[in-house]
Amino acid sequence: MPHSHAFTLRACLATIGLLAAPISAAGDVVAPFLANFCADCHDAGTRKGDFSLEGLNSANVAAAAATWERVVRKLEHRQMPPRGEVRPSTDEYDQVVATLTAALDRAAAARPRPGRTETLRRLNRTEYQNAIRDLLGVTIDASTLLPNDEPSHGFDNLAVGNLSPTLLDRYVTAAQKIARLAVGTPGRAPGSDTFRVRPDVTQEEHVDGLPLGTRGGILIPYPFPQTGEYEVQVRLQRDRNEQVEGLRRPHEIEVLLDRTRLATATVKPPGADKNAEAVDQHLRFRITAPAGTHALGVTFPKDPSALLETERAPFASHFNMHRHPRTVPAVYQVTITGPLVTHGLGDTPSRRILFGDAPAGPESARPPGSERFADQTQEEERARALLSRLARRAYRRPVNADDLRRLLQFFRDGRAEGGFEAGIEASLTALLISPQFLFRIETDPPDAVRGAAHRISDLELASRLSFFLWSSLPDEALLDAALRGELRQPAGLEAQVRRLLADDRARNLVDNFAAQWLHLRGLEAFTPDARRFIDFDDNLRQALRRETELFVADVFRADRPVTELLSADYTFLNERLARHYRVPHVFGSQFRRVSFAGDPQRQRGGLLRHGSLLAVTSYATRTSPVLRGNWILANLVGEPAPPPPPNTPNLEDTVIAASLPIRQRLAQHRENPRCASCHDLMDPVGFALENYDAVGRWRTEEDHRAIDARGGLPDGTVFDGVAGLEQAILARPELFVSTFTGKLLTFALGRGIEPGDAPALREIVRRARAHDYRFSEIVLGIVRSVPFQMREAP
C-alpha cells in the first residue's frame, strides 16, 4: 500500500507522546507506520479501518487504556510496522513495549478494572452433571436430559444466563428423574433405556474396560434404580440388505455385570429361508442387578487372530459392507428394561449420602433410610437435618429459615401421599429446580459505587474456585475454609488450590477446558472422505481424542511447564493409533507413554503433531493450511487473522485448477488483494503442517509431488516444517503462555477477556516465568488475580 511519509518507529511513537523525543539515526529508519493504525502519521486518504492513535498521550494511559493495549498487542506480535518493511531491532521493540506496559500496569494498580461477570449464570450441562454426581452420588448423562449449550469465546460456560419456559420444563423433568434415582423410588412402570453403538465402530478387537479375551461389544455404566430383575435385549448390526453382518458361523455372546458373566447365548447364521430377523430375537437375557451404577457389558469371546498373507497390509477398520466388511458379528444396540421384579431398595451411594450409613446390629439388613419414627415431629426433624445438609452444599452457602421452609413444605406434601421417602423425593426435586442451585449468583454490596471494583464474598470465591477447577460444587472442606476466612489468606488460598488440583475431579481441566480449547469436541463431527481415507473408523476417532486427553492430563497432573505442550518428545498410543501413525512395537488396546527422545526425524510429540488437532483443522477430502494456520494463530500464538471482508470468495469458488498443489492454489487465491490481507497471515503458518494429511498421517509427497512445508509467522520468522514451527513459537514463550493463560482465564471467569484484563495476564505470566511456566503457577496466578477475586459494580 503506498504511503506519503517515512518515519522511524520511535519517531512515530514520539509524535503521539509515547517517547520523550524522537531518535534520528540511519539504523532506525523504517517504513511508514501501519496506515490503518497510525492515522495521525498518514494522510487521511491512506487510512483504513476504524482504529486511530490520534490524540493519545502516554502521560495519561488510563484515559485510553483499551487503545494502548491494542498497541501493545500489535507491537508484541511484531505487526507494527507491516511485514515487508524495514523493522526495528528486537531491543527497540522490547524497550517500547516495556515502557508502555509499565505505564498501563501502574494505571491498573491505581484503579483496578476487574470487569463484570453476570449476576446470574445458569449451570451448563457439564456443571449440572458434575454437581449431581457430587451432591447425590448419581451418575447421569446430561446430554440426554438437557439441550446443548451454545459456546461463546470458545467455551460453553459463558452464554448461560437465560432460562426459557421450555428449558425450565427440561430441568423439571430432569430433577424428577434424578430424585427418583437418588431415593430409589420405583416408577409406575418399568423403565427402558436403549444404547446404540455407532455404525462406524470396528468390533474385531478388545474394547477397553471389558475383560481380556473378549472382542467388540459395548460397555454401559448404568444406574440401576433398585435391586431387582432386569431384561437386557441385544440387537446385532445389519447391512443395507438387513442381513446380520459377519455372521458366517455360530458365535457366542456374553452379558457381564461389573466384569462378571451373567448370561451367554449363541447366534447362528439364518437357515435356508434366510430369515435374518430371527437371528437375534432370542437375545433377551433376564439378569439380577443390585441398585446403583454398575458396568453392564455385552461382548463376544475373541477367537485367536490369524495373520492374513496379502500383498497389502489388511485394513484395521471393518464396518463398510462394500469396502471393508465385517468379518464377525457386531452389537448394534442394547436395551435395558426394569426393574421387572424388585428385591428392595438396596444400599447405593446416593442413599448413603441422603440417609447416612445403613443401620448397625440386628437391623443391618435394612438399607439406609429405612428408619422407623415415633411420630411426625421426629420424622420432620429428621427431614430438616437431612435437607439442611443437602441445601448447604447445593446452594453453596449456609441455609436460612426461608430455604428450609420451602423445602419442608414440599416434604410434607410428598409425605402425605407416600410416606417419608416420598417426601424426601419431592423436596429433593424442589431443591434441584431452585434458582439457588441452578444459578451461580454473585451480588454487589448495597453501597457499591457504579463502576467501582469490589471484592467478591468468600463464598462466591469458593464457588468460582470449584467451578473453575472441577466444574462442580464446592465440597465441604472448601465451604468451611471460606466461612473461616481462610481463602483471604495467601497460604490458605494456595493450600485449597493445590488440594483441588490433586483431586481426581480436576480431570475437568482436561475433559472440559482442554477439550474446548483444542477443539477436541469437533472430532465427533469429523468424517473424512471414505474413498480417500478408507481405514478411518470411530475406533481411530476416539483414539485420536484419547491421545490428546492423556497427553494434556500428563502435563497438568505432573505440573510440567505448559511450554511442554508444544515441545514434548513423547505422546500416548495404543495399537490402533500406533498403526495409524506407523509407530512399531505397540500392541493392545491400552494406551501407554511412547518416547521419541533422540530421534531427529521424529514425527510425533507435542500438540502440533497430534492427529486430533490436524483432523479437526482439515476438510473431509484434504488438508487446509488456512484452517490450520488460523487455528494456531488464534489458540497458540494469540493473534488471530481478521475476519474476511464481505463478499470474499472461497477458494473453491475461484477459478483455480483443482489439480494444482494446495500451495499454488492458495498463492493464486492471494493474488486477490481482498483475500491477501488475511491469507498472508494464515497460510504460511499452516504450510508448516503439510507433512500431515487430513487424518494426521505423516507424508512426504502428495499426488506424486514432494511436500513443501516451508512456512512463517506474521512477525516475519521463517522456518521449515513442524519442528521449525514449534521452535519459532517457543522462541518467545511468553506469547504462547499468555495465550494459554488467556484461554484458561476466560474459562475460569465465564466471560470473554477484555482490555482491562491485560495487566493481570501480564502479572500472571511474569510470576509463572520464575517457575518455568509450570501449570500450577498459572492456575495460582489466575486465582490470585484481580479479575478472579474482584467484580465491577454496574
Side-chain angles (χ1 to χ4, degrees), residues 731-775:
R732 299 174 63 206
E734 67 279 359
L735 293 183
F736 167 68
V737 176
S738 180
T739 304
F740 172 83
T741 305
K743 297 291 184 181
L744 194 57
L745 183 61
T746 298
F747 179 80
L749 296 178
R751 64 166 174 82
I753 295 299
E754 301 168 353
D757 299 317
L761 275 173
R762 286 191 288 269
E763 178 65 16
I764 295 167
V765 173
R766 276 195 293 265
R767 287 177 174 267
R769 183 188 300 124
H771 300 273
D772 297 324
Y773 301 117
R774 294 193 178 276
F775 175 67

Side-chain angles (χ1 to χ4, degrees), residues 331-582:
V331 172
Y332 167 61
Q333 72 177 28
V334 174
T335 301
I336 304 171
T337 305
L340 305 176
V341 178
T342 61
H343 297 166
L345 295 173
D347 181 9
T348 65
S350 61
R351 288 185 63 85
R352 285 195 295 272
I353 289 172
L354 286 173
F355 305 113
D357 294 332
E363 297 185 341
S364 60
R366 293 193 290 110
S370 303
E371 297 100 328
R372 298 189 180 96
F373 301 101
D375 52 36
Q376 286 191 356
T377 300
Q378 186 184 38
E379 193 175 46
E380 191 159 308
E381 285 303 313
R382 174 75 169 113
R384 181 186 297 273
L386 185 155
L387 293 172
S388 296
R389 174 171 48 84
L390 277 181
R392 178 181 187 267
R393 183 82 185 280
Y395 298 167
R396 286 89 74 185
R397 59 169 175 76
V399 295
N400 55 43
D402 283 343
D403 297 325
L404 287 177
R405 178 178 54 78
R406 296 188 187 97
L407 294 175
L408 285 171
Q409 185 57 53
F410 282 97
F411 167 76
R412 297 183 190 107
D413 294 343
R415 180 186 59 188
E417 294 184 6
F420 177 77
E421 293 192 2
I424 294 299
E425 181 184 333
S427 57
L428 184 55
T429 301
L431 181 146
L432 294 180
I433 59 175
S434 167
Q436 301 293 325
F437 172 70
L438 288 180
F439 287 88
R440 294 172 57 189
I441 303 173
E442 294 183 352
T443 59
D444 299 304
D447 57 349
V449 178
R450 182 179 179 83
H454 62 84
R455 286 189 175 273
I456 60 176
S457 73
D458 290 20
L459 288 169
E460 290 168 350
L461 181 58
S463 280
R464 281 195 179 189
L465 185 56
S466 66
F467 279 100
F468 168 29
L469 300 181
W470 290 351
S471 285
S472 186
L473 311 171
D475 61 4
E476 292 292 345
L478 185 56
L479 287 175
D480 289 342
L483 292 171
R484 291 193 299 265
E486 294 176 5
L487 300 186
R488 292 302 175 196
Q489 306 301 319
L493 180 62
E494 180 174 346
Q496 288 296 324
V497 169
R498 294 195 180 279
R499 181 181 69 84
L500 267 63
L501 283 174
D503 192 283
D504 287 341
R505 284 169 285 189
R507 174 80 191 191
N508 158 74
L509 291 168
V510 176
D511 299 337
N512 198 5
F513 163 70
Q516 295 184 80
W517 169 47
L518 300 175
H519 294 198
L520 296 183
R521 295 181 179 180
L523 274 173
E524 294 303 313
F526 176 71
T527 304
D529 184 85
R531 293 177 178 85
R532 291 175 179 265
F533 306 103
I534 194 170
D535 215 16
F536 191 93
D537 57 6
D538 190 63
N539 308 58
L540 180 57
R541 181 186 290 110
Q542 301 307 323
L544 290 170
R545 175 167 182 159
R546 186 68 175 152
E547 173 196 17
T548 304
E549 289 175 339
L550 289 171
F551 173 75
V552 174
D554 184 67
V555 173
F556 287 3
R557 290 301 298 264
D559 198 18
R560 304 182 193 277
V562 296
T563 51
E564 197 166 303
L565 291 169
L566 298 183
S567 65
D569 56 8
Y570 64 91
T571 190
F572 291 81
L573 305 175
N574 68 353
E575 181 177 354
R576 179 70 178 88
L577 188 55
R579 180 173 176 176
H580 179 68
Y581 287 164
R582 302 185 186 97

Side-chain angles (χ1 to χ4, degrees), residues 503-755:
D503 192 283
D504 287 341
R505 284 169 285 189
R507 174 80 191 191
N508 158 74
L509 291 168
V510 176
D511 299 337
N512 198 5
F513 163 70
Q516 295 184 80
W517 169 47
L518 300 175
H519 294 198
L520 296 183
R521 295 181 179 180
L523 274 173
E524 294 303 313
F526 176 71
T527 304
D529 184 85
R531 293 177 178 85
R532 291 175 179 265
F533 306 103
I534 194 170
D535 215 16
F536 191 93
D537 57 6
D538 190 63
N539 308 58
L540 180 57
R541 181 186 290 110
Q542 301 307 323
L544 290 170
R545 175 167 182 159
R546 186 68 175 152
E547 173 196 17
T548 304
E549 289 175 339
L550 289 171
F551 173 75
V552 174
D554 184 67
V555 173
F556 287 3
R557 290 301 298 264
D559 198 18
R560 304 182 193 277
V562 296
T563 51
E564 197 166 303
L565 291 169
L566 298 183
S567 65
D569 56 8
Y570 64 91
T571 190
F572 291 81
L573 305 175
N574 68 353
E575 181 177 354
R576 179 70 178 88
L577 188 55
R579 180 173 176 176
H580 179 68
Y581 287 164
R582 302 185 186 97
V583 175
H585 313 308
V586 178
F587 302 103
S589 61
Q590 292 283 341
F591 277 81
R592 78 293 313 263
R593 176 172 166 150
V594 178
S595 175
F596 301 93
D599 180 1
Q601 305 298 322
R602 66 181 177 90
Q603 302 165 8
R604 303 298 160 185
L607 290 175
L608 291 173
R609 304 167 188 255
H610 281 219
S612 58
L613 274 65
L614 296 162
V616 297
T617 53
S618 295
Y619 291 121
T621 57
R622 62 169 177 84
T623 62
S624 174
V626 178
L627 294 179
R628 289 177 174 178
N630 192 50
W631 187 90
I632 291 169
L633 291 176
N635 294 282
L636 302 183
V637 178
E639 190 65 14
N647 304 317
T648 301
N650 293 321
L651 178 61
E652 284 72 13
D653 297 333
T654 54
V655 184
I656 299 174
S659 60
L660 288 176
I662 190 64
R663 182 182 285 269
Q664 279 70 30
R665 294 176 68 191
L666 287 171
Q668 291 191 23
H669 192 61
R670 290 195 300 273
E671 290 178 1
N672 183 339
R674 295 167 59 83
C675 304
S677 61
C678 299
H679 284 270
D680 282 343
L681 301 175
M682 300 181 293
D683 297 358
V685 182
F687 287 144
L689 301 179
E690 275 298 282
N691 281 119
Y692 297 98
D693 69 10
V695 292
R697 294 177 303 194
W698 182 265
R699 61 184 182 174
T700 56
E701 63 177 36
E702 181 182 25
D703 296 331
H704 307 293
R705 298 186 181 97
I707 293 293
D708 183 354
R710 292 172 298 162
L713 288 175
D715 65 3
T717 305
V718 295
F719 44 78
D720 191 357
V722 62
L725 175 57
E726 290 169 340
Q727 293 167 9
I729 294 175
L730 293 178
R732 299 174 63 206
E734 67 279 359
L735 293 183
F736 167 68
V737 176
S738 180
T739 304
F740 172 83
T741 305
K743 297 291 184 181
L744 194 57
L745 183 61
T746 298
F747 179 80
L749 296 178
R751 64 166 174 82
I753 295 299
E754 301 168 353

Side-chain angles (χ1 to χ4, degrees), residues 147-222:
N148 193 34
D149 299 299
E150 290 298 324
S152 177
H153 296 277
F155 299 98
D156 63 7
N157 64 337
L158 276 69
V160 285
N162 62 313
L163 187 61
S164 66
T166 301
L167 184 55
L168 179 59
D169 286 343
R170 298 284 293 271
Y171 274 110
V172 170
T173 302
Q176 292 170 337
K177 179 176 181 178
I178 292 164
R180 284 197 302 270
L181 281 172
V183 176
T185 306
R188 294 188 178 91
S192 183
D193 295 290
T194 297
F195 303 87
R196 287 184 178 171
V197 182
R198 286 183 60 134
D200 59 345
V201 172
T202 298
Q203 299 190 36
E204 318 287 301
E205 300 296 335
H206 176 251
V207 172
D208 199 22
L210 289 170
L212 294 175
T214 63
R215 61 103 192 145
I218 184 173
L219 184 65
I220 306 165
Y222 188 75

Side-chain angles (χ1 to χ4, degrees), residues 197-200 203 233-247 267-270 274-283 319-321 326 328-333:
V197 182
R198 286 183 60 134
D200 59 345
Q203 299 190 36
Q233 181 183 11
V234 181
R235 297 282 288 173
L236 301 179
Q237 293 275 5
R238 285 167 163 75
D239 60 26
R240 62 187 61 182
N241 299 320
E242 291 301 316
Q243 297 295 313
V244 175
E245 295 181 290
L247 187 58
V267 290
K268 301 178 180 179
K274 295 186 178 181
N275 181 15
E277 186 63 30
V279 166
D280 54 5
Q281 283 189 344
H282 68 292
L283 299 182
F319 67 88
N320 186 302
M321 66 176 291
R326 298 187 191 276
V328 288
V331 172
Y332 167 61
Q333 72 177 28

Side-chain angles (χ1 to χ4, degrees), residues 284-311:
R284 294 175 178 265
F285 306 94
R286 193 78 169 254
I287 67 169
T288 299
T293 299
H294 298 275
L296 179 78
V298 177
T299 187
F300 303 87
K302 188 179 189 314
D303 294 331
S305 299
L307 180 64
L308 299 178
E309 295 186 6
T310 59
E311 292 183 3

